């Protein structure tokens, strides 16, 4: 059974940093690209970042480029999101998501078929 | 940047057919994916690559994509289909979501 479990969320002051983790199980982690998607309270889904299965390719939304860094440790089956220079508008539930097909990602992205339950990040003084 | 436009809300009578649109410039040339999200839950992929259903998704869910509009169709709507629905595409090294449509089953 595929499972994705996010952790690391919490309350942080503006300008602060936080690192999210997503522990994956039930599939060959290194074969799948992974993404982070967030949802501000009462708002829609916003894609944040994606990373290829090998970790060699990364992609970012303009809203987080230069502040957030996505990475993965395939030996630990874990996805990360390092978030720096946090702003109030970064307040959201952050989901990690698994790509639908293996050895894909990027231009051949075909949706995300499994999602974690999310971790809440609150940026406030 | 690429934009996807969805109606804020769609209503459908129980047992009837709901259609949720997703507009974008020449969206017919892109792969469109659809998600269902119920309150307090993570999104669920219901259609990928325009018209393909992941395993476990009922045949009542179907999709099409042509020109400037992609459409998610839900046949024989049930109370359990009431949710927010989002379309999604990959464009220029970015993933783009539509704003979401709230489906109400009357």
């Amino acid at each position: 059974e595929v499972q994705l479990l996010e952790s690391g969320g919490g309350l942080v002051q503006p300008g602060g940093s936080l690192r999210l983790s997503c522990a994956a199980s039930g599939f060959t982690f290194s074969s799948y690209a992974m993404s982070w998607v967030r949802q501000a309270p009462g708002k829609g889904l916003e894609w944040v970042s994606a990373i290829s299965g090998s970790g060699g390719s990364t992609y970012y939304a303009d809203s987080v480029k230069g502040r957030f860094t996505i990475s993965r440790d395939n030996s630990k089956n874990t996805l990360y999101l390092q978030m720096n220079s946090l702003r109030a508008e970064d307040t959201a539930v952050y989901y990690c998501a698994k790509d639908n097909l293996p050895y894909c990602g990027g231009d051949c992205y075909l949706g995300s078929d499994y999602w974690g339950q999310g971790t809440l990040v609150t940026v406030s003084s | 940047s690429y934009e996807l436009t969805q109606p804020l809300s769609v209503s459908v009578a129980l047992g009837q057919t709901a259609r949720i649109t997703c507009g974008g410039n020449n969206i017919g040339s892109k792969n469109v994916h659809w998600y269902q999200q119920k309150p307090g839950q993570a999104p669920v992929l219901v259609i990928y690559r325009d018209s393909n259903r992941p395993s476990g998704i009922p045949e009542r869910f179907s999709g099409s994509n042509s020109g400037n509009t992609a459409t998610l169709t839900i046949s024989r709507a049930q109370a359990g289909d009431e949710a927010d629905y989002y379309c999604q595409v990959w464009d220029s090294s970015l993933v783009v979501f539509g704003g979401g449509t709230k489906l109400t089953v009357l």
Side-chain angles (χ1 to χ4, degrees):
Chain A
E1 178 192 6
V2 172
Q3 290 193 337
L4 299 171
L5 184 60
E6 303 96 337
S7 61
L11 176 63
V12 61
Q13 291 188 341
S17 298
L18 213 55
R19 188 175 85 154
L20 305 183
S21 299
C22 171
S25 61
F27 64 102
T28 306
F29 184 66
S30 61
S31 296
Y32 290 84
M34 299 289 293
S35 301
W36 288 99
V37 175
R38 68 185 181 183
Q39 187 168 36
K43 302 296 184 181
L45 301 174
E46 180 188 12
W47 174 78
V48 173
S49 183
I51 186 168
S52 63
S54 67
S57 297
T58 58
Y59 311 87
Y60 296 94
D62 290 342
S63 58
V64 306
K65 196 174 297 183
R67 299 189 299 124
F68 289 11
T69 301
I70 191 171
S71 62
R72 64 193 296 160
D73 185 335
N74 287 343
S75 68
K76 296 182 178 179
N77 288 352
T78 302
L79 174 71
Y80 302 101
L81 185 67
Q82 177 67 43
M83 303 185 296
N84 298 331
S85 303
L86 283 161
R87 308 165 179 167
E89 54 264 36
D90 295 319
T91 294
V93 173
Y94 285 72
Y95 297 100
C96 66
K98 166 189 166 291
D99 266 27
N100 187 19
L101 297 181
Y103 310 113
C104 207
D107 288 343
C108 71
Y109 176 70
L110 290 179
S112 298
D113 60 348
Y114 285 92
W115 297 59
Q117 282 307 302
T119 186
L120 177 62
V121 172
T122 303
V123 183
S124 174
S125 55
Chain B
S1 61
Y2 195 76
E3 293 186 357
L4 295 174
T5 301
Q6 297 183 237
L8 285 176
S9 63
V10 168
S11 298
V12 61
L14 188 67
Q16 297 304 302
T17 299
R19 293 179 179 83
I20 299 173
T21 59
C22 176
N25 185 34
N26 198 26
I27 195 174
S29 67
K30 303 181 185 299
N31 291 316
V32 180
H33 321 299
W34 290 92
Y35 299 87
Q36 175 194 70
Q37 187 182 32
K38 297 180 179 179
Q41 298 184 18
V44 173
L45 181 67
V46 294
I47 293 288
Y48 68 95
R49 200 196 288 165
D50 299 342
S51 59
N52 294 272
R53 280 178 290 103
S55 61
I57 301 301
E59 292 183 6
R60 301 185 298 104
F61 288 81
S62 62
S64 63
N65 183 19
S66 178
N68 293 320
T69 304
T71 303
L72 172 69
T73 300
I74 306 171
S75 304
R76 302 181 299 283
Q78 302 177 359
D81 298 333
E82 195 162 280
D84 294 326
Y85 290 84
Y86 297 88
C87 57
Q88 180 199 50
V89 301
W90 174 271
D91 178 81
S92 302
S93 298
L94 300 173
V95 171
V96 181
F97 281 100
T101 298
K102 180 175 180 58
L103 177 68
T104 300
V105 180
L106 305 173

